[in-house]
Short mmCIF file of all heavy atoms in Angstrom, two decimals:
data_model
loop_
_atom_site.label_atom_id
_atom_site.label_comp_id
_atom_site.label_asym_id
_atom_site.label_seq_id
_atom_site.Cartn_x
_atom_site.Cartn_y
_atom_site.Cartn_z
N SER W 5 -0.65 -12.91 -11.54
CA SER W 5 0.08 -12.09 -12.48
C SER W 5 1.30 -12.82 -13.03
O SER W 5 1.80 -12.45 -14.07
CB SER W 5 0.44 -10.77 -11.86
OG SER W 5 1.56 -10.89 -11.02
N VAL W 6 1.79 -13.86 -12.34
CA VAL W 6 2.92 -14.62 -12.87
C VAL W 6 2.49 -15.37 -14.13
O VAL W 6 3.23 -15.41 -15.11
CB VAL W 6 3.42 -15.62 -11.79
CG1 VAL W 6 4.47 -16.55 -12.37
CG2 VAL W 6 3.99 -14.86 -10.60
N ALA W 7 1.30 -15.92 -14.12
CA ALA W 7 0.81 -16.61 -15.31
C ALA W 7 0.62 -15.63 -16.47
O ALA W 7 0.85 -16.00 -17.62
CB ALA W 7 -0.51 -17.32 -15.00
N ALA W 8 0.24 -14.41 -16.16
CA ALA W 8 0.07 -13.41 -17.21
C ALA W 8 1.39 -13.08 -17.89
O ALA W 8 1.44 -12.90 -19.10
CB ALA W 8 -0.55 -12.14 -16.62
N PHE W 9 2.47 -13.03 -17.11
CA PHE W 9 3.78 -12.76 -17.69
C PHE W 9 4.15 -13.84 -18.71
O PHE W 9 4.72 -13.54 -19.75
CB PHE W 9 4.88 -12.71 -16.59
CG PHE W 9 5.03 -11.36 -15.97
CD1 PHE W 9 4.61 -11.16 -14.68
CD2 PHE W 9 5.60 -10.33 -16.67
CE1 PHE W 9 4.77 -9.92 -14.10
CE2 PHE W 9 5.76 -9.08 -16.10
CZ PHE W 9 5.34 -8.87 -14.80
N GLU W 10 3.83 -15.09 -18.40
CA GLU W 10 4.19 -16.18 -19.30
C GLU W 10 3.31 -16.21 -20.54
O GLU W 10 3.78 -16.58 -21.62
CB GLU W 10 4.10 -17.51 -18.56
CG GLU W 10 5.15 -17.64 -17.47
CD GLU W 10 5.01 -18.92 -16.69
OE1 GLU W 10 4.24 -19.80 -17.12
OE2 GLU W 10 5.69 -19.02 -15.65
N SER W 11 2.04 -15.83 -20.41
CA SER W 11 1.13 -15.97 -21.54
C SER W 11 1.20 -14.82 -22.53
O SER W 11 1.11 -15.05 -23.73
CB SER W 11 -0.30 -16.17 -21.06
OG SER W 11 -0.74 -15.04 -20.38
N VAL W 12 1.33 -13.58 -22.09
CA VAL W 12 1.33 -12.46 -23.02
C VAL W 12 2.62 -11.66 -23.03
O VAL W 12 2.81 -10.82 -23.89
CB VAL W 12 0.15 -11.51 -22.79
CG1 VAL W 12 -1.16 -12.20 -23.04
CG2 VAL W 12 0.20 -10.90 -21.40
N GLY W 13 3.46 -11.86 -22.07
CA GLY W 13 4.74 -11.14 -22.05
C GLY W 13 4.74 -9.98 -21.08
O GLY W 13 3.69 -9.43 -20.72
N ALA W 14 5.92 -9.61 -20.68
CA ALA W 14 6.09 -8.60 -19.66
C ALA W 14 5.62 -7.21 -20.13
O ALA W 14 5.03 -6.47 -19.34
CB ALA W 14 7.56 -8.52 -19.24
N VAL W 15 5.84 -6.90 -21.37
CA VAL W 15 5.49 -5.56 -21.85
C VAL W 15 3.97 -5.36 -21.80
O VAL W 15 3.49 -4.29 -21.37
CB VAL W 15 6.01 -5.33 -23.28
CG1 VAL W 15 5.52 -4.02 -23.85
CG2 VAL W 15 7.52 -5.38 -23.28
N MET W 16 3.22 -6.36 -22.20
CA MET W 16 1.76 -6.24 -22.17
C MET W 16 1.23 -6.14 -20.74
O MET W 16 0.35 -5.33 -20.47
CB MET W 16 1.10 -7.44 -22.86
CG MET W 16 1.41 -7.57 -24.29
SD MET W 16 0.85 -6.15 -25.22
CE MET W 16 1.76 -6.39 -26.69
N VAL W 17 1.76 -6.93 -19.85
CA VAL W 17 1.32 -6.89 -18.46
C VAL W 17 1.61 -5.53 -17.85
O VAL W 17 0.74 -4.91 -17.22
CB VAL W 17 1.96 -8.00 -17.62
CG1 VAL W 17 1.65 -7.83 -16.16
CG2 VAL W 17 1.49 -9.36 -18.11
N VAL W 18 2.80 -5.01 -18.08
CA VAL W 18 3.14 -3.69 -17.55
C VAL W 18 2.27 -2.62 -18.18
O VAL W 18 1.80 -1.71 -17.50
CB VAL W 18 4.65 -3.41 -17.77
CG1 VAL W 18 4.98 -1.97 -17.45
CG2 VAL W 18 5.49 -4.34 -16.92
N ALA W 19 2.03 -2.73 -19.47
CA ALA W 19 1.17 -1.75 -20.15
C ALA W 19 -0.23 -1.71 -19.54
O ALA W 19 -0.78 -0.64 -19.29
CB ALA W 19 1.09 -2.05 -21.65
N PHE W 20 -0.79 -2.88 -19.27
CA PHE W 20 -2.14 -2.91 -18.73
C PHE W 20 -2.20 -2.61 -17.24
O PHE W 20 -3.26 -2.26 -16.72
CB PHE W 20 -2.82 -4.22 -19.04
CG PHE W 20 -3.17 -4.37 -20.49
CD1 PHE W 20 -2.65 -5.40 -21.24
CD2 PHE W 20 -4.02 -3.46 -21.10
CE1 PHE W 20 -2.96 -5.51 -22.59
CE2 PHE W 20 -4.32 -3.56 -22.44
CZ PHE W 20 -3.80 -4.62 -23.18
N LEU W 21 -1.10 -2.71 -16.52
CA LEU W 21 -1.09 -2.35 -15.11
C LEU W 21 -0.80 -0.86 -14.91
O LEU W 21 -1.37 -0.23 -14.02
CB LEU W 21 -0.03 -3.17 -14.36
CG LEU W 21 -0.37 -4.62 -14.10
CD1 LEU W 21 0.82 -5.33 -13.45
CD2 LEU W 21 -1.58 -4.76 -13.22
N ILE W 22 0.09 -0.31 -15.71
CA ILE W 22 0.57 1.06 -15.49
C ILE W 22 -0.24 2.11 -16.24
O ILE W 22 -0.61 3.14 -15.68
CB ILE W 22 2.07 1.16 -15.88
CG1 ILE W 22 2.90 0.21 -15.05
CG2 ILE W 22 2.56 2.59 -15.75
CD1 ILE W 22 2.86 0.43 -13.58
N VAL W 23 -0.52 1.87 -17.51
CA VAL W 23 -1.11 2.93 -18.34
C VAL W 23 -2.50 3.36 -17.84
O VAL W 23 -2.74 4.58 -17.73
CB VAL W 23 -1.13 2.51 -19.83
CG1 VAL W 23 -1.87 3.53 -20.66
CG2 VAL W 23 0.29 2.33 -20.33
N PRO W 24 -3.43 2.49 -17.52
CA PRO W 24 -4.73 2.98 -17.02
C PRO W 24 -4.59 3.77 -15.71
O PRO W 24 -5.24 4.81 -15.55
CB PRO W 24 -5.54 1.69 -16.80
CG PRO W 24 -4.95 0.73 -17.76
CD PRO W 24 -3.47 1.03 -17.76
N ALA W 25 -3.72 3.31 -14.82
CA ALA W 25 -3.53 4.03 -13.55
C ALA W 25 -2.87 5.40 -13.80
O ALA W 25 -3.26 6.40 -13.18
CB ALA W 25 -2.69 3.21 -12.61
N ALA W 26 -1.90 5.45 -14.69
CA ALA W 26 -1.25 6.73 -14.99
C ALA W 26 -2.22 7.70 -15.66
O ALA W 26 -2.19 8.91 -15.39
CB ALA W 26 -0.04 6.50 -15.89
N THR W 27 -3.07 7.20 -16.51
CA THR W 27 -4.08 8.03 -17.16
C THR W 27 -5.06 8.58 -16.12
O THR W 27 -5.38 9.78 -16.13
CB THR W 27 -4.86 7.22 -18.22
OG1 THR W 27 -3.92 6.66 -19.14
CG2 THR W 27 -5.83 8.10 -18.96
N ALA W 28 -5.50 7.73 -15.21
CA ALA W 28 -6.43 8.17 -14.18
C ALA W 28 -5.76 9.18 -13.27
O ALA W 28 -6.42 10.14 -12.82
CB ALA W 28 -6.92 6.97 -13.38
N TRP W 29 -4.49 9.02 -12.98
CA TRP W 29 -3.76 9.94 -12.13
C TRP W 29 -3.74 11.34 -12.70
O TRP W 29 -3.75 12.32 -11.95
CB TRP W 29 -2.35 9.41 -11.91
CG TRP W 29 -1.52 10.27 -11.00
CD1 TRP W 29 -1.58 10.34 -9.65
CD2 TRP W 29 -0.51 11.18 -11.42
NE1 TRP W 29 -0.68 11.24 -9.20
CE2 TRP W 29 0.01 11.78 -10.26
CE3 TRP W 29 0.02 11.55 -12.65
CZ2 TRP W 29 1.01 12.73 -10.30
CZ3 TRP W 29 1.02 12.49 -12.69
CH2 TRP W 29 1.50 13.05 -11.52
N LEU W 30 -3.74 11.44 -14.02
CA LEU W 30 -3.73 12.75 -14.67
C LEU W 30 -4.98 13.56 -14.40
O LEU W 30 -4.93 14.79 -14.34
CB LEU W 30 -3.58 12.59 -16.19
CG LEU W 30 -2.22 12.14 -16.72
CD1 LEU W 30 -2.31 11.91 -18.21
CD2 LEU W 30 -1.16 13.16 -16.39
N ILE W 31 -6.12 12.90 -14.26
CA ILE W 31 -7.38 13.64 -14.19
C ILE W 31 -8.18 13.42 -12.91
O ILE W 31 -9.16 14.13 -12.70
CB ILE W 31 -8.27 13.33 -15.42
CG1 ILE W 31 -8.52 11.83 -15.56
CG2 ILE W 31 -7.65 13.88 -16.67
CD1 ILE W 31 -9.44 11.46 -16.70
N ALA W 32 -7.79 12.48 -12.08
CA ALA W 32 -8.57 12.19 -10.88
C ALA W 32 -8.19 13.16 -9.76
O ALA W 32 -7.07 13.65 -9.67
CB ALA W 32 -8.33 10.77 -10.43
N ASN W 33 -9.17 13.41 -8.88
CA ASN W 33 -8.90 14.25 -7.73
C ASN W 33 -9.13 13.53 -6.41
O ASN W 33 -9.04 14.12 -5.36
CB ASN W 33 -9.72 15.54 -7.78
CG ASN W 33 -11.19 15.29 -7.96
OD1 ASN W 33 -11.63 14.15 -7.92
ND2 ASN W 33 -11.95 16.34 -8.17
N SER W 34 -9.43 12.24 -6.46
CA SER W 34 -9.54 11.42 -5.27
C SER W 34 -9.21 9.96 -5.63
O SER W 34 -9.20 9.60 -6.82
CB SER W 34 -10.96 11.48 -4.69
OG SER W 34 -11.87 10.80 -5.52
N MET W 35 -8.93 9.17 -4.63
CA MET W 35 -8.60 7.77 -4.88
C MET W 35 -9.78 7.02 -5.47
O MET W 35 -9.61 6.20 -6.36
CB MET W 35 -8.15 7.09 -3.59
CG MET W 35 -7.73 5.68 -3.80
SD MET W 35 -6.40 5.53 -4.98
CE MET W 35 -5.10 5.08 -3.93
N ARG W 36 -10.96 7.34 -5.02
CA ARG W 36 -12.16 6.67 -5.54
C ARG W 36 -12.35 6.97 -7.02
O ARG W 36 -12.60 6.07 -7.81
CB ARG W 36 -13.37 7.14 -4.74
CG ARG W 36 -14.65 6.53 -5.24
CD ARG W 36 -15.84 6.99 -4.44
NE ARG W 36 -16.63 5.81 -4.14
CZ ARG W 36 -17.46 5.70 -3.16
NH1 ARG W 36 -17.60 6.69 -2.30
NH2 ARG W 36 -18.15 4.63 -2.99
N SER W 37 -12.21 8.24 -7.41
CA SER W 37 -12.36 8.58 -8.82
C SER W 37 -11.21 8.01 -9.64
O SER W 37 -11.41 7.62 -10.80
CB SER W 37 -12.47 10.09 -9.02
OG SER W 37 -11.30 10.74 -8.61
N MET W 38 -10.04 7.89 -9.05
CA MET W 38 -8.92 7.30 -9.77
C MET W 38 -9.18 5.83 -10.08
O MET W 38 -8.88 5.36 -11.17
CB MET W 38 -7.62 7.45 -8.97
CG MET W 38 -6.40 7.02 -9.71
SD MET W 38 -4.94 7.46 -8.78
CE MET W 38 -3.70 6.66 -9.75
N LEU W 39 -9.75 5.11 -9.14
CA LEU W 39 -10.09 3.71 -9.36
C LEU W 39 -11.13 3.54 -10.45
O LEU W 39 -11.03 2.66 -11.32
CB LEU W 39 -10.57 3.05 -8.07
CG LEU W 39 -9.50 2.88 -6.98
CD1 LEU W 39 -10.16 2.42 -5.68
CD2 LEU W 39 -8.44 1.90 -7.42
N VAL W 40 -12.14 4.39 -10.43
CA VAL W 40 -13.22 4.32 -11.44
C VAL W 40 -12.67 4.68 -12.82
O VAL W 40 -12.90 3.96 -13.79
CB VAL W 40 -14.40 5.24 -11.05
CG1 VAL W 40 -15.39 5.35 -12.19
CG2 VAL W 40 -15.06 4.74 -9.78
N ILE W 41 -11.91 5.76 -12.91
CA ILE W 41 -11.35 6.19 -14.19
C ILE W 41 -10.39 5.17 -14.74
O ILE W 41 -10.40 4.85 -15.93
CB ILE W 41 -10.69 7.58 -14.06
CG1 ILE W 41 -11.74 8.65 -13.76
CG2 ILE W 41 -9.91 7.94 -15.31
CD1 ILE W 41 -11.17 9.97 -13.30
N SER W 42 -9.56 4.61 -13.86
CA SER W 42 -8.60 3.59 -14.29
C SER W 42 -9.32 2.37 -14.86
O SER W 42 -8.91 1.83 -15.90
CB SER W 42 -7.73 3.18 -13.11
OG SER W 42 -6.82 2.19 -13.45
N SER W 43 -10.37 1.96 -14.21
CA SER W 43 -11.16 0.82 -14.73
C SER W 43 -11.79 1.15 -16.07
O SER W 43 -11.76 0.31 -16.99
CB SER W 43 -12.26 0.45 -13.73
OG SER W 43 -11.69 0.05 -12.52
N LEU W 44 -12.33 2.34 -16.20
CA LEU W 44 -12.96 2.74 -17.47
C LEU W 44 -11.93 2.81 -18.60
O LEU W 44 -12.20 2.40 -19.73
CB LEU W 44 -13.68 4.08 -17.32
CG LEU W 44 -14.92 4.06 -16.46
CD1 LEU W 44 -15.43 5.47 -16.24
CD2 LEU W 44 -15.97 3.17 -17.06
N VAL W 45 -10.74 3.34 -18.29
CA VAL W 45 -9.68 3.41 -19.30
C VAL W 45 -9.27 2.01 -19.73
O VAL W 45 -9.11 1.72 -20.91
CB VAL W 45 -8.47 4.22 -18.78
CG1 VAL W 45 -7.28 4.05 -19.69
CG2 VAL W 45 -8.84 5.67 -18.64
N GLY W 46 -9.10 1.11 -18.76
CA GLY W 46 -8.71 -0.26 -19.09
C GLY W 46 -9.73 -0.98 -19.94
O GLY W 46 -9.39 -1.60 -20.96
N VAL W 47 -11.00 -0.87 -19.57
CA VAL W 47 -12.07 -1.51 -20.34
C VAL W 47 -12.17 -0.89 -21.73
O VAL W 47 -12.34 -1.60 -22.73
CB VAL W 47 -13.40 -1.44 -19.57
CG1 VAL W 47 -14.57 -1.87 -20.44
CG2 VAL W 47 -13.34 -2.30 -18.33
N SER W 48 -12.07 0.43 -21.80
CA SER W 48 -12.14 1.11 -23.10
C SER W 48 -10.99 0.69 -24.01
O SER W 48 -11.20 0.46 -25.21
CB SER W 48 -12.09 2.63 -22.90
OG SER W 48 -13.19 3.06 -22.16
N ALA W 49 -9.80 0.58 -23.45
CA ALA W 49 -8.64 0.16 -24.25
C ALA W 49 -8.83 -1.27 -24.80
O ALA W 49 -8.49 -1.54 -25.94
CB ALA W 49 -7.38 0.24 -23.41
N ILE W 50 -9.40 -2.14 -23.97
CA ILE W 50 -9.65 -3.52 -24.43
C ILE W 50 -10.68 -3.52 -25.55
O ILE W 50 -10.50 -4.21 -26.57
CB ILE W 50 -10.10 -4.40 -23.26
CG1 ILE W 50 -8.99 -4.56 -22.23
CG2 ILE W 50 -10.58 -5.77 -23.77
CD1 ILE W 50 -7.73 -5.24 -22.76
N TRP W 51 -11.77 -2.78 -25.40
CA TRP W 51 -12.80 -2.72 -26.44
C TRP W 51 -12.24 -2.14 -27.73
O TRP W 51 -12.44 -2.70 -28.82
CB TRP W 51 -14.00 -1.90 -25.98
CG TRP W 51 -14.95 -2.71 -25.15
CD1 TRP W 51 -15.03 -2.75 -23.80
CD2 TRP W 51 -15.95 -3.61 -25.63
NE1 TRP W 51 -16.00 -3.61 -23.41
CE2 TRP W 51 -16.59 -4.16 -24.51
CE3 TRP W 51 -16.35 -4.01 -26.89
CZ2 TRP W 51 -17.63 -5.09 -24.62
CZ3 TRP W 51 -17.39 -4.92 -27.00
CH2 TRP W 51 -18.00 -5.46 -25.87
N ILE W 52 -11.57 -1.01 -27.62
CA ILE W 52 -10.99 -0.38 -28.80
C ILE W 52 -9.98 -1.32 -29.47
O ILE W 52 -9.98 -1.48 -30.69
CB ILE W 52 -10.34 0.96 -28.44
CG1 ILE W 52 -11.40 1.97 -28.02
CG2 ILE W 52 -9.51 1.52 -29.61
CD1 ILE W 52 -10.85 3.22 -27.34
N GLY W 53 -9.12 -1.91 -28.66
CA GLY W 53 -8.11 -2.82 -29.19
C GLY W 53 -8.70 -4.05 -29.87
O GLY W 53 -8.20 -4.52 -30.89
N THR W 54 -9.76 -4.58 -29.29
CA THR W 54 -10.41 -5.77 -29.86
C THR W 54 -11.01 -5.44 -31.23
O THR W 54 -10.80 -6.19 -32.21
CB THR W 54 -11.50 -6.30 -28.91
OG1 THR W 54 -10.89 -6.64 -27.67
CG2 THR W 54 -12.19 -7.51 -29.51
N PHE W 55 -11.74 -4.35 -31.31
CA PHE W 55 -12.35 -4.00 -32.59
C PHE W 55 -11.33 -3.55 -33.62
O PHE W 55 -11.41 -3.90 -34.79
CB PHE W 55 -13.44 -2.93 -32.39
CG PHE W 55 -14.63 -3.47 -31.67
CD1 PHE W 55 -15.01 -2.94 -30.45
CD2 PHE W 55 -15.39 -4.51 -32.21
CE1 PHE W 55 -16.12 -3.43 -29.76
CE2 PHE W 55 -16.49 -5.01 -31.55
CZ PHE W 55 -16.86 -4.47 -30.31
N ALA W 56 -10.33 -2.78 -33.18
CA ALA W 56 -9.31 -2.30 -34.11
C ALA W 56 -8.45 -3.45 -34.63
O ALA W 56 -8.05 -3.45 -35.80
CB ALA W 56 -8.43 -1.24 -33.45
N SER W 57 -8.18 -4.42 -33.80
CA SER W 57 -7.35 -5.55 -34.25
C SER W 57 -8.04 -6.36 -35.34
O SER W 57 -7.40 -6.89 -36.24
CB SER W 57 -6.97 -6.47 -33.08
OG SER W 57 -8.12 -7.17 -32.62
N GLY W 58 -9.34 -6.43 -35.26
CA GLY W 58 -10.09 -7.11 -36.32
C GLY W 58 -10.04 -6.34 -37.64
O GLY W 58 -9.97 -6.94 -38.72
N GLU W 59 -10.05 -5.03 -37.54
CA GLU W 59 -10.01 -4.20 -38.75
C GLU W 59 -8.64 -4.19 -39.41
O GLU W 59 -8.53 -4.15 -40.63
CB GLU W 59 -10.43 -2.76 -38.41
CG GLU W 59 -11.87 -2.60 -38.01
CD GLU W 59 -12.82 -2.96 -39.14
OE1 GLU W 59 -12.56 -2.58 -40.30
OE2 GLU W 59 -13.83 -3.62 -38.85
N ILE W 60 -7.59 -4.19 -38.59
CA ILE W 60 -6.23 -4.11 -39.17
C ILE W 60 -5.49 -5.44 -39.15
O ILE W 60 -4.33 -5.50 -39.51
CB ILE W 60 -5.39 -3.02 -38.46
CG1 ILE W 60 -5.20 -3.34 -36.98
CG2 ILE W 60 -6.02 -1.67 -38.65
CD1 ILE W 60 -4.27 -2.37 -36.26
N ASN W 61 -6.21 -6.50 -38.71
CA ASN W 61 -5.67 -7.85 -38.71
C ASN W 61 -4.35 -7.95 -37.93
O ASN W 61 -3.31 -8.32 -38.46
CB ASN W 61 -5.48 -8.35 -40.15
CG ASN W 61 -5.30 -9.86 -40.22
OD1 ASN W 61 -5.71 -10.56 -39.30
ND2 ASN W 61 -4.69 -10.33 -41.29
N SER W 62 -4.43 -7.59 -36.65
CA SER W 62 -3.25 -7.65 -35.79
C SER W 62 -3.60 -8.32 -34.48
O SER W 62 -4.75 -8.71 -34.24
CB SER W 62 -2.72 -6.23 -35.53
OG SER W 62 -3.65 -5.51 -34.76
N SER W 63 -2.62 -8.44 -33.62
CA SER W 63 -2.80 -9.07 -32.30
C SER W 63 -3.72 -8.23 -31.43
O SER W 63 -3.56 -7.01 -31.34
CB SER W 63 -1.43 -9.24 -31.63
OG SER W 63 -1.59 -9.52 -30.28
N VAL W 64 -4.65 -8.88 -30.75
CA VAL W 64 -5.59 -8.16 -29.89
C VAL W 64 -4.85 -7.52 -28.71
O VAL W 64 -5.09 -6.36 -28.38
CB VAL W 64 -6.69 -9.10 -29.37
CG1 VAL W 64 -7.56 -8.41 -28.35
CG2 VAL W 64 -7.54 -9.61 -30.51
N SER W 65 -3.94 -8.26 -28.08
CA SER W 65 -3.27 -7.72 -26.90
C SER W 65 -2.37 -6.54 -27.25
O SER W 65 -2.35 -5.54 -26.53
CB SER W 65 -2.47 -8.81 -26.18
OG SER W 65 -1.49 -9.37 -27.05
N ALA W 66 -1.66 -6.63 -28.33
CA ALA W 66 -0.78 -5.52 -28.73
C ALA W 66 -1.60 -4.29 -29.14
O ALA W 66 -1.27 -3.18 -28.77
CB ALA W 66 0.12 -5.93 -29.89
N THR W 67 -2.67 -4.52 -29.88
CA THR W 67 -3.52 -3.40 -30.29
C THR W 67 -4.21 -2.76 -29.09
O THR W 67 -4.35 -1.53 -29.04
CB THR W 67 -4.56 -3.86 -31.31
OG1 THR W 67 -3.90 -4.61 -32.35
CG2 THR W 67 -5.29 -2.71 -31.94
N SER W 68 -4.57 -3.55 -28.11
CA SER W 68 -5.18 -2.99 -26.89
C SER W 68 -4.18 -2.18 -26.10
O SER W 68 -4.52 -1.14 -25.54
CB SER W 68 -5.74 -4.13 -26.03
OG SER W 68 -6.76 -4.81 -26.70
N ALA W 69 -2.93 -2.63 -26.06
CA ALA W 69 -1.88 -1.85 -25.37
C ALA W 69 -1.64 -0.53 -26.09
O ALA W 69 -1.47 0.51 -25.45
CB ALA W 69 -0.59 -2.66 -25.29
N VAL W 70 -1.64 -0.55 -27.41
CA VAL W 70 -1.49 0.68 -28.18
C VAL W 70 -2.69 1.61 -27.93
O VAL W 70 -2.52 2.83 -27.80
CB VAL W 70 -1.30 0.38 -29.68
CG1 VAL W 70 -1.40 1.64 -30.53
CG2 VAL W 70 0.02 -0.32 -29.91
N ALA W 71 -3.87 1.04 -27.86
CA ALA W 71 -5.07 1.86 -27.59
C ALA W 71 -4.98 2.49 -26.20
O ALA W 71 -5.32 3.67 -26.04
CB ALA W 71 -6.33 0.99 -27.68
N ALA W 72 -4.48 1.76 -25.21
CA ALA W 72 -4.30 2.32 -23.88
C ALA W 72 -3.31 3.47 -23.92
O ALA W 72 -3.53 4.52 -23.30
CB ALA W 72 -3.84 1.25 -22.90
N GLY W 73 -2.22 3.29 -24.65
CA GLY W 73 -1.24 4.36 -24.80
C GLY W 73 -1.81 5.57 -25.52
O GLY W 73 -1.51 6.71 -25.16
N ALA W 74 -2.66 5.32 -26.50
CA ALA W 74 -3.29 6.42 -27.24
C ALA W 74 -4.25 7.20 -26.34
O ALA W 74 -4.30 8.43 -26.39
CB ALA W 74 -4.01 5.89 -28.46
N ILE W 75 -5.00 6.48 -25.50
CA ILE W 75 -5.90 7.15 -24.56
C ILE W 75 -5.09 8.03 -23.62
O ILE W 75 -5.46 9.17 -23.35
CB ILE W 75 -6.76 6.13 -23.81
CG1 ILE W 75 -7.74 5.43 -24.75
CG2 ILE W 75 -7.51 6.78 -22.65
CD1 ILE W 75 -8.45 4.23 -24.16
N PHE W 76 -4.00 7.48 -23.11
CA PHE W 76 -3.12 8.25 -22.22
C PHE W 76 -2.61 9.50 -22.93
O PHE W 76 -2.62 10.60 -22.35
CB PHE W 76 -1.95 7.40 -21.74
CG PHE W 76 -0.95 8.17 -20.92
CD1 PHE W 76 -1.19 8.38 -19.58
CD2 PHE W 76 0.19 8.70 -21.49
CE1 PHE W 76 -0.29 9.11 -18.80
CE2 PHE W 76 1.10 9.41 -20.73
CZ PHE W 76 0.86 9.62 -19.38
N ALA W 77 -2.14 9.35 -24.15
CA ALA W 77 -1.60 10.49 -24.89
C ALA W 77 -2.64 11.57 -25.12
O ALA W 77 -2.37 12.76 -24.95
CB ALA W 77 -1.02 10.02 -26.24
N VAL W 78 -3.85 11.16 -25.49
CA VAL W 78 -4.92 12.14 -25.72
C VAL W 78 -5.25 12.89 -24.43
O VAL W 78 -5.38 14.12 -24.43
CB VAL W 78 -6.17 11.45 -26.30
CG1 VAL W 78 -7.39 12.36 -26.25
CG2 VAL W 78 -5.90 10.97 -27.72
N ILE W 79 -5.39 12.16 -23.33
CA ILE W 79 -5.70 12.80 -22.05
C ILE W 79 -4.59 13.76 -21.65
O ILE W 79 -4.84 14.88 -21.18
CB ILE W 79 -5.95 11.75 -20.95
CG1 ILE W 79 -7.18 10.91 -21.28
CG2 ILE W 79 -6.07 12.40 -19.58
CD1 ILE W 79 -8.49 11.62 -21.23
N ALA W 80 -3.34 13.33 -21.80
CA ALA W 80 -2.20 14.18 -21.42
C ALA W 80 -2.14 15.45 -22.27
O ALA W 80 -1.90 16.55 -21.75
CB ALA W 80 -0.89 13.40 -21.56
N ILE W 81 -2.39 15.32 -23.57
CA ILE W 81 -2.36 16.49 -24.46
C ILE W 81 -3.51 17.44 -24.13
O ILE W 81 -3.32 18.66 -24.04
CB ILE W 81 -2.40 16.05 -25.94
CG1 ILE W 81 -1.08 15.38 -26.30
CG2 ILE W 81 -2.69 17.23 -26.85
CD1 ILE W 81 -1.09 14.65 -27.62
N VAL W 82 -4.71 16.90 -23.93
CA VAL W 82 -5.86 17.75 -23.59
C VAL W 82 -5.61 18.47 -22.27
O VAL W 82 -5.90 19.66 -22.14
CB VAL W 82 -7.16 16.91 -23.55
CG1 VAL W 82 -8.30 17.69 -22.93
CG2 VAL W 82 -7.52 16.45 -24.96
N LYS W 83 -5.08 17.75 -21.29
CA LYS W 83 -4.79 18.38 -20.00
C LYS W 83 -3.78 19.50 -20.15
O LYS W 83 -3.93 20.58 -19.57
CB LYS W 83 -4.30 17.36 -18.99
CG LYS W 83 -4.07 17.96 -17.62
CD LYS W 83 -3.65 16.94 -16.62
CE LYS W 83 -3.44 17.66 -15.28
NZ LYS W 83 -2.96 16.78 -14.25
N LYS W 84 -2.74 19.29 -20.95
CA LYS W 84 -1.72 20.31 -21.17
C LYS W 84 -2.31 21.52 -21.88
O LYS W 84 -2.02 22.66 -21.50
CB LYS W 84 -0.56 19.71 -21.99
CG LYS W 84 0.58 20.63 -22.20
CD LYS W 84 1.32 20.86 -20.90
CE LYS W 84 2.61 21.61 -21.17
NZ LYS W 84 3.32 21.93 -19.95
N VAL W 85 -3.10 21.31 -22.90
CA VAL W 85 -3.70 22.42 -23.64
C VAL W 85 -4.65 23.20 -22.74
O VAL W 85 -4.63 24.44 -22.75
CB VAL W 85 -4.47 21.88 -24.90
CG1 VAL W 85 -5.35 22.97 -25.50
CG2 VAL W 85 -3.47 21.36 -25.91
N LEU W 86 -5.43 22.51 -21.94
CA LEU W 86 -6.34 23.21 -21.02
C LEU W 86 -5.60 23.99 -19.95
O LEU W 86 -6.03 25.06 -19.54
CB LEU W 86 -7.33 22.23 -20.39
CG LEU W 86 -8.35 21.63 -21.35
CD1 LEU W 86 -9.22 20.60 -20.60
CD2 LEU W 86 -9.20 22.69 -22.00
N SER W 87 -4.46 23.46 -19.50
CA SER W 87 -3.70 24.18 -18.47
C SER W 87 -3.00 25.40 -19.05
O SER W 87 -2.74 26.38 -18.35
CB SER W 87 -2.67 23.26 -17.80
OG SER W 87 -1.64 22.92 -18.70
N LEU W 88 -2.67 25.36 -20.34
CA LEU W 88 -2.05 26.53 -20.99
C LEU W 88 -3.05 27.65 -21.15
O LEU W 88 -2.67 28.82 -21.16
CB LEU W 88 -1.47 26.13 -22.34
CG LEU W 88 -0.25 25.23 -22.32
CD1 LEU W 88 0.15 24.84 -23.75
CD2 LEU W 88 0.93 25.89 -21.62
N ARG W 89 -4.30 27.34 -21.33
CA ARG W 89 -5.36 28.35 -21.52
C ARG W 89 -5.72 29.03 -20.19
O ARG W 89 -6.22 30.13 -20.18
CB ARG W 89 -6.60 27.73 -22.10
CG ARG W 89 -6.43 27.32 -23.52
CD ARG W 89 -7.73 26.84 -24.08
NE ARG W 89 -7.56 26.51 -25.48
CZ ARG W 89 -8.54 26.18 -26.27
NH1 ARG W 89 -9.76 26.15 -25.81
NH2 ARG W 89 -8.31 25.89 -27.53
N ALA W 90 -5.48 28.36 -19.10
CA ALA W 90 -5.87 28.91 -17.79
C ALA W 90 -4.89 29.93 -17.28
O ALA W 90 -3.83 30.15 -17.67
CB ALA W 90 -6.00 27.79 -16.77
#
């Protein structure tokens, strides 16, 4: 992870370490499901970021971090709306 800090910067490394885990924490009910969800969120953010960066002509790593944040925001909003209905 030290090499990652030098190559892409601290903000990107923190974004990719924290955001998928925080997203999984919102919806997981066990450690096993949290690990699976976190992995899926991370991979999804990379895929979305890679394709979106090509469309908007931007940095892949920054766009992937924004995609991870967007996934987190959507999950948090949906969870809040569903909890208000209950």
